[in-house]
Amino acid sequence: QGIGTLLDGLFGTATGSTVSVENVGLLGSTRIGSRRVIQISAGFMIFFSILGKFGALFASIPFTIFAAIYCVMFGIIAAVGLSFLQFTNMNSMRNLFIVGFSLFLGLSIPEYFSRYMTGAQNGPAHTKAGWFNDYINTIFASPPTVALIIAVVLDNTLDVRDAAKDRGMQWWERFRTFRGDSRNEEFYTLPFNLNRFFPPS
């Protein structure tokens, strides 16, 4: 999705694409990852969008209810993200350093960019190339993006060979191929038996 959105932004598309972290929260809270559920939900959304009364019903829901739902959903999103650390060895000083350092800089660097923009009315990157300034200032003003970049770079450069087991990569081996787990057949097969024409790898 990330690469697709990047290409959409570079070349433009007839249909927009978006990445929604809310899906992670829903997946974590419902424990349902089947495509059939998505297809049925899409049918309901199309049906409800045609009838204006249903839209009015949803619009009448108080904002406090939406706020409560968002609190639960984004809390689960954060917890699901942290739950991936269960596969790593958190007794390893290497892993503790990577997690702590990336979280700290993920909060510190965007805060610096935010305060700089407030005072100077432009970001720390202010060259003659406006597009470059926008890229740098946007990327480094996002805490998750900064933390992700730092964590990925450190995890793939810092003592990689000696810490192979500590990284937890062996837990993901069976999910690298479609046939690695029996549940993949249910979750990720294409609808309407299209796997005959597009076999999974």
Side-chain angles (χ1 to χ4, degrees), residues 110-188:
E111 181 65 20
Y112 167 74
F113 270 70
S114 175
R115 293 193 180 194
Y116 194 101
M117 290 181 193
T118 303
Q121 301 302 318
N122 56 20
H126 46 275
T127 63
K128 293 182 179 180
W131 62 270
F132 177 77
N133 300 340
D134 292 339
Y135 272 122
I136 297 300
N137 293 328
T138 301
I139 289 172
F140 288 99
S142 169
T145 305
V146 173
L148 175 68
I149 291 171
I150 293 171
V152 168
V153 169
L154 289 178
D155 190 46
N156 288 289
T157 56
L158 189 63
D159 200 18
V160 177
R161 291 184 180 177
D162 296 335
K165 289 186 178 180
D166 290 342
R167 297 175 69 199
M169 299 303 289
Q170 71 274 11
W171 291 96
W172 302 102
E173 289 290 337
R174 61 178 181 168
F175 299 109
R176 289 186 177 179
T177 60
F178 182 80
R179 302 295 178 192
D181 191 279
S182 59
R183 294 170 294 181
N184 290 345
E185 186 74 32
E186 176 191 355
F187 289 157
Y188 300 114

Side-chain angles (χ1 to χ4, degrees), residues 16-199:
S17 65
T18 182
V19 178
S20 178
V21 295
E22 287 85 349
N23 295 333
V24 178
L26 288 173
L27 184 63
S29 60
T30 61
R31 298 290 182 185
I32 297 173
S34 174
R35 287 189 180 190
R36 188 70 61 200
V37 175
I38 304 300
Q39 294 163 359
I40 295 171
S41 301
F44 274 112
M45 286 190 279
I46 293 171
F47 175 73
F48 288 146
S49 66
I50 295 172
L51 301 175
K53 295 294 184 183
F54 286 103
L57 175 66
F58 289 120
S60 66
I61 298 175
F63 284 117
T64 52
I65 302 297
F66 282 115
I69 292 172
Y70 266 73
C71 287
V72 172
M73 183 174 59
F74 283 107
I76 291 176
I77 290 170
V80 168
L82 290 174
S83 71
F84 287 121
L85 295 176
Q86 67 181 307
F87 301 111
T88 64
N89 179 14
M90 291 310 291
N91 291 321
S92 166
M93 184 55 68
R94 171 194 178 273
N95 291 345
L96 288 174
F97 169 75
I98 292 173
V99 172
F101 192 69
S102 59
L103 286 177
F104 178 75
L105 288 186
L107 296 173
S108 301
I109 293 175
E111 181 65 20
Y112 167 74
F113 270 70
S114 175
R115 293 193 180 194
Y116 194 101
M117 290 181 193
T118 303
Q121 301 302 318
N122 56 20
H126 46 275
T127 63
K128 293 182 179 180
W131 62 270
F132 177 77
N133 300 340
D134 292 339
Y135 272 122
I136 297 300
N137 293 328
T138 301
I139 289 172
F140 288 99
S142 169
T145 305
V146 173
L148 175 68
I149 291 171
I150 293 171
V152 168
V153 169
L154 289 178
D155 190 46
N156 288 289
T157 56
L158 189 63
D159 200 18
V160 177
R161 291 184 180 177
D162 296 335
K165 289 186 178 180
D166 290 342
R167 297 175 69 199
M169 299 303 289
Q170 71 274 11
W171 291 96
W172 302 102
E173 289 290 337
R174 61 178 181 168
F175 299 109
R176 289 186 177 179
T177 60
F178 182 80
R179 302 295 178 192
D181 191 279
S182 59
R183 294 170 294 181
N184 290 345
E185 186 74 32
E186 176 191 355
F187 289 157
Y188 300 114
T189 51
L190 297 173
F192 307 115
N193 207 15
L194 290 175
N195 279 37
R196 294 179 302 169
F197 307 106
F198 306 101

